[in-house]
Amino acid sequence: MSLVPQPSFLPVDWWALAPVIALTAGTILLLLLEFVPSRPGDSRGGIVSLLALAFAGWAVWRVAGDKRELFGGMFVHDPFTVVFTLMFVAIGVLSVLTSWDYLKRTKINQAEYYALLLSSVLGMIVMAASNDLVTIFIGLELMSLSLYVLVGFRRTRLESNEASLKYFLLGAFASGFLLYGIALLYGATGTSNLARMGAFLSDTPLLGNPLLVIGALLVFTGFAFKVAAVPFHMWTPDAYEGAPTAVTGFMSVGAKAAGFAALLRVGLRALEPLQVDWVPLLAVVAFLTMTVGNVTALLQNNLKRMLAYSSIAHAGYILVAVAAGGPEGASAAVFYLAVYSFMNLGAFSVLTMMGRGRDERVLMSDLSGLGFRQPFLGLAMTVFMVSLGGIPPTAGFMGKVYVFGAAMKNPALLWLVVAGVLNSVVSVYYYLRVTVAMYMREPEGEPVQVSWGVPVALAVVLALVATLWFGVQANGLWAMARDSVLGLL
């Protein structure tokens, strides 16, 4: 009889792990395709990506009603994982459709682009499904490293390289903060597992423990960087402006949703006993994030920078829901992330069609007269701007109803609700500037040309339908968001 312990493999639920396997296989296949000769304008990268994403979505939906734990509880398949996996798959599909013709037009149509996009989606799914701080960090790094390269994918452009380098350097600092915070939380509680950490904190008076408090603050800092919350938002305008427009749309919604998914899971599973202590801090950060984002967006004439500051403001609205806490606040945050993904990706899909060849036209003046020359694009862009401003009957309005409704149940947050409503009023001004440019201004010189393509037109239609549908029929999505949060508790 051997005295040496024999290694044994942990049991694996293959269906619960199928999205991860599908995206990994798709990434490897895309990299191998680079060794096979291809023609210019080849679409095989987009086709492989769509197939991998479709299989990932079907696989997670097939076992959507089950709740399982894998790898000793480090990776979980629960309703929260299902909802965010479907959200990331939808974001990935819309991003592939948006990139399809854009990559060919700008001469960067390489399979590596799609491989990086799938890797990033894979990292987002790992972040949302992780029940351990270590696997959350692995997912975050997988997502971030792919995004750093995607931002600089137009390597012949100086601003793209500069944006990538700035994003990478600041992202490395944020990763350091997050990792140090994880180490301190492990030192304070003796575990990195979220469920065991929560159980330990509920039975132990550690609220005055400096190790725990500093660790939690550093972890929050790491997530705040990823969701572009003030004062960790400095990288956002430059990274958004320098990145290829299709990448900007993808990172503006994907990275934000993944960051909030991890923050919600950590907050509800591990640090829930400390929620009362964190509400004042979250409320102040939410107020500053909304206000700084909206006020600065007023001054922008570059649409990518305007949407970057708008993205910061929307992170503030979602933080209002996080500060409200409890199942209703978390459900409102999940709902808002879903509808924000559709309306913001729709706006960026329209921007990718502006210009011919390698040209990108993203200034406010470039949209002059677009509403009459291209009625469908003008209508779609108007709906996306109206929804981002939170005007009924769009999905953005319903998102704000749920967010502010959850916060109003806490009397201490009424001032934050008033600030949020005032910020929404401010945001309407710069969103409507886009509509004014499209319908009330004549183009100066030659009108900007539009590059039509079936995939990107399909992406705009899908985003438009979702933005309008969830504005009038929000119950189904709200029920999914609420069930996902209840399944997490």
Side-chain angles (χ1 to χ4, degrees):
M1 182 177 177
S2 174
L3 297 177
V4 180
Q6 295 300 309
S8 60
F9 291 103
L10 293 170
V12 176
D13 187 325
W14 294 107
W15 278 112
L17 207 59
V20 174
I21 296 171
L23 294 176
T24 305
T27 303
I28 294 172
L29 180 58
L30 285 166
L31 293 176
L32 291 176
L33 280 177
E34 279 299 293
F35 297 100
V36 180
S38 64
R39 294 173 301 171
D42 201 294
S43 298
R44 60 189 186 182
I47 294 171
V48 171
S49 303
L50 286 181
L51 289 174
L53 288 165
F55 183 80
W58 173 75
V60 78
W61 183 254
R62 187 178 182 278
V63 289
D66 299 335
K67 191 171 182 178
R68 308 168 183 178
E69 291 191 349
L70 294 85
F71 308 120
M74 296 182 81
F75 189 95
V76 291
H77 174 87
D78 55 19
F80 191 80
T81 301
V82 172
V83 166
F84 271 98
T85 300
L86 292 174
M87 193 188 304
F88 295 137
V89 166
I91 290 170
V93 169
L94 288 177
S95 299
V96 170
L97 293 175
T98 301
S99 306
W100 201 291
D101 295 301
Y102 175 84
L103 297 183
K104 297 173 187 174
R105 177 165 72 81
T106 53
K107 312 295 183 191
I108 53 172
N109 184 31
Q110 299 167 21
E112 292 102 321
Y113 174 90
Y114 292 104
L116 289 165
L117 193 144
L118 288 190
S119 299
S120 186
V121 173
L122 177 58
M124 295 170 191
I125 292 174
V126 171
M127 285 178 71
S130 292
N131 193 37
D132 194 286
L133 289 173
V134 174
T135 42
I136 286 177
F137 181 75
I138 292 171
L140 184 139
E141 285 305 293
L142 180 58
M143 177 192 75
S144 301
L145 290 173
S146 303
L147 287 177
Y148 300 150
V149 184
L150 280 174
V151 168
F153 207 77
R154 294 187 73 175
R155 51 184 179 273
T156 56
R157 293 182 60 189
L158 181 62
E159 58 267 35
S160 193
N161 295 328
E162 181 184 342
S164 179
L165 183 61
K166 184 178 286 186
Y167 187 28
F168 168 71
L169 291 175
L170 293 176
F173 276 116
S175 296
F177 285 130
L178 179 63
L179 193 58
Y180 195 32
I182 290 173
L184 292 181
L185 284 180
Y186 181 83
T189 62
T191 180
S192 60
N193 182 280
L194 300 184
R196 287 197 285 272
M197 192 177 287
F200 182 83
L201 292 177
S202 63
D203 294 334
T204 308
L206 279 178
L207 298 182
N209 187 329
L211 206 60
L212 175 67
V213 174
I214 296 172
L217 277 173
L218 289 175
V219 168
F220 177 73
T221 300
F223 290 138
F225 177 87
K226 293 301 171 189
V227 304
V230 173
F232 310 105
H233 66 291
M234 301 295 187
W235 59 275
T236 314
D238 293 336
Y240 278 31
E241 186 182 8
T245 306
V247 174
T248 309
F250 172 66
M251 67 187 292
S252 69
V253 296
K256 193 179 298 297
F260 273 110
L263 180 62
L264 287 173
R265 194 178 276 280
V266 172
L268 291 174
R269 294 283 286 172
L271 303 180
E272 202 275 337
L274 307 180
Q275 183 189 350
V276 176
D277 301 285
W278 292 116
V279 167
L281 173 66
L282 286 172
V284 171
V285 174
F287 170 73
L288 291 176
T289 305
M290 286 188 296
T291 307
V292 171
N294 280 319
V295 170
T296 318
L298 288 171
L299 310 173
Q300 308 302 318
N301 285 317
N302 183 306
L303 286 165
K304 287 169 79 173
R305 291 187 76 87
M306 187 200 84
L307 288 172
Y309 284 109
S310 148
S311 164
I312 295 168
H314 283 280
Y317 300 135
I318 301 168
L319 280 171
V320 173
V322 177
E328 190 160 353
S331 304
V334 175
F335 181 92
Y336 200 96
L337 285 167
V339 298
Y340 175 72
S341 299
F342 288 118
M343 54 195 183
N344 209 47
L345 263 178
F348 274 105
S349 297
V350 174
L351 286 185
T352 59
M353 299 169 71
M354 303 294 293
R356 285 286 173 89
R358 297 189 177 187
D359 190 24
E360 278 194 349
R361 305 302 291 267
V362 292
L363 296 178
M364 194 73 76
S365 57
D366 294 330
L367 294 179
S368 299
L370 182 74
F372 295 108
R373 287 185 291 109
Q374 301 286 346
F376 170 69
L377 284 188
L379 172 67
M381 196 64 168
T382 300
V383 171
F384 296 137
M385 292 298 112
V386 166
S387 186
L388 285 167
I391 299 174
T394 58
F397 170 73
M398 293 307 299
K400 286 182 179 166
V401 166
Y402 286 127
V403 165
F404 295 146
M408 284 181 67
K409 295 186 177 177
N410 184 348
L413 293 179
L414 285 179
W415 69 272
L416 190 60
V417 175
V418 173
V421 172
L422 292 176
N423 266 285
S424 297
V425 173
V426 171
S427 74
V428 169
Y429 173 78
Y430 62 78
Y431 287 129
L432 290 185
R433 281 181 64 204
V434 176
T435 306
V436 168
M438 288 192 296
Y439 289 102
M440 299 182 185
R441 289 184 186 161
E442 293 294 328
E444 298 175 2
E446 195 70 21
V448 175
Q449 294 183 313
V450 174
S451 298
W452 281 94
V454 174
V456 69
L458 179 61
V460 173
V461 169
L462 290 174
L464 183 62
V465 169
T467 302
L468 292 173
W469 177 257
F470 292 129
V472 295
Q473 291 290 335
N475 288 341
L477 184 60
W478 170 251
M480 281 185 69
R482 189 186 54 209
D483 292 344
S484 73
V485 172
L486 293 176
L488 179 64
L489 299 174

